[in-house]
Amino acid sequence: MLQLDKVTVNYGSFRALDNVSIHAKEGELVVLLGANGAGKSSIFLTVSGLNKTGNGSIRFRNKELVGMKPSQIVHDGVVHCPEGRKLFPGMSVLKNLTLGAYVHRADKKGISRSLEEVFALFPILHEKKDLPAGSLSGGQQQMVAIGRALMGRPKALLLDEPSLGLAPLVVKQVFDVIERINKAGTTVLLAEQNAYAALKIANRAYVIESGRIVMEGNRDELLNNEEVRKAYIGA
Ligand SMILES: Nc1ncnc2c1ncn2[C@@H]1O[C@H](COP(=O)(O)OP(=O)(O)OP(=O)(O)O)[C@@H](O)[C@H]1O
Ligand SMILES: [Mg+2]
């Protein structure tokens, strides 16, 4: 349903992505593993139309995304939850969530429905809905970021390092939620350095190094791969 074909990205004379071809089928959870600077965020920024320097083709349900406005890409169902959460810390949790539904702003009923779904998934956010987002714990802020992305009604959700900086117990909760979102029918592309936890919930994964895809396989192939274990799992 989402297919990148020979995507190349240059930042000035620096080539951040080199002929990247990856795909996610309808309903899959696909993990992108890579060290710092490998190019994971560049992939997501290019898919979501925020990075305009990409060459190649990115098709979503057979529609070309390259050249489309970011808001139109969200409207079509490809929603990006950025690295580092990018919340508005002074605004309430509710306001932050509602901003994720900006492209659906004419559909007030739909927005209330999405909000109910987000609060069902994250009851703590309902409790804290009137507090400034910046006053929440790191894990709760990550829930706001994921919730805000869900307010865009993703068919394909791009999650950029959602477990970054979180305590192990919270990491587990975040991965549980991602698994639930995927099981409910949303295709997920997940960039992670937390390789073991990510692979556990994945169908397939790619490994990216210096802007190139160097390995791909299903969950068990990667979990059992000696190089992957050494480089990303440490066992
Ligand atoms: N706007 C930019 N201008 C110049 N270089 C950039 C820009 N954005 C990213 N880069 C470079 O491109 C490469 C890939 O960066 P990217 O952020 O995609 O990596 P990443 O895999 O997401 O890393 P991390 O795990 O640290 O988030 C890095 O070498 C980075 O320094
Ligand atoms: Mg990144």
Side-chain angles (χ1 to χ4, degrees):
M1 58 124 53
L2 183 64
Q3 178 135 22
L4 284 74
D5 201 19
K6 299 198 174 118
V7 172
T8 293
V9 164
N10 298 305
Y11 297 117
S13 61
F14 178 73
R15 178 154 294 185
L17 296 180
D18 190 9
N19 268 309
V20 167
S21 299
I22 63 174
H23 70 273
K25 292 185 205 127
E26 198 83 48
E28 267 191 325
L29 196 160
V30 176
V31 165
L32 207 52
L33 294 179
N36 291 115
K40 304 178 297 297
S41 297
S42 296
I43 290 181
F44 286 0
L45 290 166
T46 306
V47 172
S48 58
L50 296 169
N51 180 341
K52 310 265 182 213
T53 64
N55 283 308
S57 156
I58 303 172
R59 298 180 78 78
F60 173 65
R61 293 187 169 170
N62 289 323
K63 186 171 174 184
E64 180 62 52
L65 299 187
V66 173
M68 271 171 63
K69 282 199 299 188
S71 57
Q72 187 61 46
I73 293 173
V74 173
H75 197 272
D76 281 4
V78 180
V79 184
H80 177 193
C81 182
E83 181 178 335
R85 300 163 201 148
K86 304 283 186 322
L87 301 179
F88 296 93
M91 286 185 192
S92 70
V93 167
L94 182 61
K95 185 74 191 166
N96 271 277
L97 291 174
T98 314
L99 282 171
Y102 184 74
V103 301
H104 305 298
R105 61 195 176 281
D107 177 15
K108 301 280 182 251
K109 269 202 187 129
I111 292 178
S112 310
R113 217 166 32 235
S114 304
L115 207 50
E116 274 174 36
E117 287 169 17
V118 169
F119 287 148
L121 200 57
F122 303 112
I124 187 74
L125 298 189
H126 185 255
E127 256 173 63
K128 305 217 175 221
K129 66 179 171 25
D130 299 317
L131 295 177
S135 73
L136 272 57
S137 74
Q140 291 163 352
Q141 291 193 33
Q142 186 59 56
M143 293 172 195
V144 177
I146 295 174
R148 180 181 57 187
L150 293 176
M151 294 295 292
R153 297 182 207 158
K155 299 181 180 97
L157 179 61
L158 315 176
L159 289 167
D160 197 351
E161 303 210 42
S163 79
L164 199 67
L166 304 181
L169 194 64
V170 185
V171 170
K172 187 181 179 313
Q173 288 168 1
V174 167
F175 281 105
D176 283 349
V177 160
I178 295 168
E179 190 171 26
R180 275 171 68 187
I181 293 169
N182 174 246
K183 291 252 154 75
T186 307
T187 305
V188 175
L189 198 54
L190 170 63
E192 265 298 337
Q193 300 202 37
N194 208 325
Y196 185 69
L199 286 174
K200 288 272 270 196
I201 60 169
N203 297 111
R204 285 190 306 115
Y206 295 91
V207 178
I208 179 167
E209 276 174 24
S210 307
R212 294 204 178 107
I213 302 295
V214 294
M215 204 183 297
E216 74 170 287
N218 65 33
R219 171 191 36 216
D220 293 334
E221 281 164 355
L222 277 119
L223 273 174
N224 296 323
N225 183 285
E226 197 62 31
E227 284 169 56
V228 170
R229 294 184 76 88
K230 266 199 208 127
Y232 300 99
I233 300 177

